[in-house]
């Protein structure tokens, strides 16, 4: 398969790459590699993905020309409580990769999306697994609408082509593989999460604006104040009280007031 390659920092760090013409899901393939004995770091890329997953089991299809990639990352030496913060490493790495490719105006939406002019440009998915004997790994999944945006979604979506960028998925991927190396060094097995948190906040969408988060039957309204040291969303209500949210369906700005 032609076109895809690792960046120089990723190659020096010993990352490897498997490229597929077509897969149901790059995350599923990466997990299968791990269960078969692969330790990583290993990138899985597909020119086309037919049955990808988003958070909470949502489907994430990817058309040819879009970027669909997953990184199998060993976390044997990471405290279990720090593993979920790798989702923010993925976010700041993708933000940096887009900037390195010349794409401007992208913002990170908590916990795992990238927006451009309020529309979804990319999604991230972090999944974890373990093997008998104590080996543990995560898979960081990246889906970026480069050449086409999916249709018929309950929210607006866009792609780099619609934004009038001629960036290729292969070129963006090179930037991404090196950006992950840089962000992971800062993260330092979770010990440097505060630096990642600062980078994430600097690129965040909606801080200081209305937000609503639905978790099951609970709806939290307020102002998006920040994310805390564990990566949780901090919402300040009208009476000044603060609530932290670990996961949920997030609506920002005017969409928050209507949610």
């Amino acid at each position: 398969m032609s076109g895809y390659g690792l960046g120089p920092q990723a190659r020096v760090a010993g990352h490897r790459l498997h490229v597929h013409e077509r897969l149901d899901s790059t995350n599923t393939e990466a997990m299968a590699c791990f269960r078969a004995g692969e330790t990583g770091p290993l990138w899985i890329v597909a020119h086309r993905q037919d049955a990808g997953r988003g958070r909470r089991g949502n489907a994430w299809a990817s058309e040819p020309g879009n970027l669909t990639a997953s990184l199998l990352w060993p976390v044997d030496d990471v405290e279990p409580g720090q593993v979920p913060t790798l989702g923010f490493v993925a976010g700041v790495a993708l933000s940096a990769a887009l900037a390195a490719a010349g794409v401007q105006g992208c913002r990170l939406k908590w916990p795992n999306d990238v927006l451009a002019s309020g529309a979804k440009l990319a999604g991230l998915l972090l999944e974890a697994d373990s093997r008998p004997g104590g080996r543990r790994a995560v898979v960081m999944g990246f889906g970026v609408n480069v050449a086409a945006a999916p249709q018929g979604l309950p929210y607006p979506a866009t792609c780099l082509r619609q934004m009038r960028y001629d960036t290729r998925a292969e070129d963006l991927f090179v930037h991404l593989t090196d950006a992950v190396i840089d962000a992971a060094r800062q993260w330092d097995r979770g010990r440097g999460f505060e630096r990642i948190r600062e980078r994430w906040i600097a690129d965040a969408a909606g801080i200081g604006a209305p937000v609503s988060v639905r978790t099951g039957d609970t709806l939290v309204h307020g102002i998006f104040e920040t994310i805390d040291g564990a990566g949780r969303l901090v919402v300040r209500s009208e009476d000044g009280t603060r609530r932290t949210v670990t996961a949920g369906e997030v609506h920002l700005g005017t969409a928050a007031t209507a949610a």
Side-chain angles (χ1 to χ4, degrees):
M1 305 299 175
S2 63
Y4 282 98
L6 298 169
Q9 292 188 59
R11 291 196 300 271
V12 168
H15 287 209
R16 290 170 293 114
L17 171 63
H18 292 176
V19 182
H20 300 261
E21 185 62 36
R22 194 165 190 161
L23 286 173
D24 285 344
S25 163
T26 56
N27 265 37
T28 298
E29 177 67 16
M31 281 296 186
C33 289
F34 173 67
R35 290 164 187 162
E38 174 64 61
T39 57
L42 173 67
W43 284 95
I44 304 291
V45 174
H47 287 277
R48 178 162 183 156
Q49 176 175 270
D50 296 322
R53 301 186 303 283
R55 289 183 71 249
R56 300 185 299 277
N58 293 329
W60 179 267
S62 183
E63 297 299 322
N66 289 347
L67 175 59
T68 307
S70 297
L71 174 59
L72 174 64
W73 188 278
V75 291
D76 298 326
D77 56 354
V78 179
E79 290 293 328
Q82 291 294 339
V83 170
T85 63
L86 272 168
F88 295 92
V89 172
V92 300
L94 182 53
S95 181
L98 288 163
V103 180
Q104 300 178 353
C106 297
R107 311 299 287 176
L108 295 168
K109 179 187 176 187
W110 187 89
N112 68 330
D113 289 341
V114 179
L115 305 180
S117 299
K120 183 170 179 175
L121 175 68
L124 306 166
L125 180 63
L126 189 75
E127 296 183 294
D129 202 359
S130 60
R131 292 201 311 250
R135 299 306 300 265
R136 296 182 294 125
V138 299
V139 174
M140 289 185 272
F142 302 83
V144 186
N145 299 330
V146 176
Q151 304 298 311
L153 300 175
Y155 50 81
T158 190
C159 67
L160 294 181
R161 182 171 294 171
Q162 289 178 3
M163 297 165 62
R164 305 197 177 186
Y165 290 102
D166 59 4
T167 305
R168 300 187 314 146
E170 294 88 343
D171 298 329
L172 179 60
F173 178 70
V174 171
H175 291 302
L176 176 61
T177 62
D178 280 348
V180 166
I181 296 294
D182 176 65
R185 284 174 181 155
Q186 283 195 320
W187 179 70
D188 189 22
R189 300 178 179 87
R191 295 186 292 259
F193 177 61
E194 181 58 29
R195 286 173 287 176
I196 295 298
R197 174 181 172 272
E198 291 170 357
R199 287 180 61 181
W200 193 95
I201 289 172
D203 286 342
I207 287 184
V211 64
S212 69
V213 188
R214 181 174 294 281
T215 304
D217 295 330
T218 302
L219 185 63
V220 178
H221 278 293
I223 299 298
F224 179 8
E225 190 165 273
T226 189
I227 62 169
D228 68 11
R232 296 173 298 189
L233 185 72
V234 180
V235 181
R236 187 181 75 249
S237 63
E238 290 183 358
D239 63 7
T241 59
R242 290 172 173 81
R243 296 185 64 176
T244 57
V245 181
T246 302
E249 181 181 348
V250 177
H251 297 277
L252 301 171
T254 56
T257 60

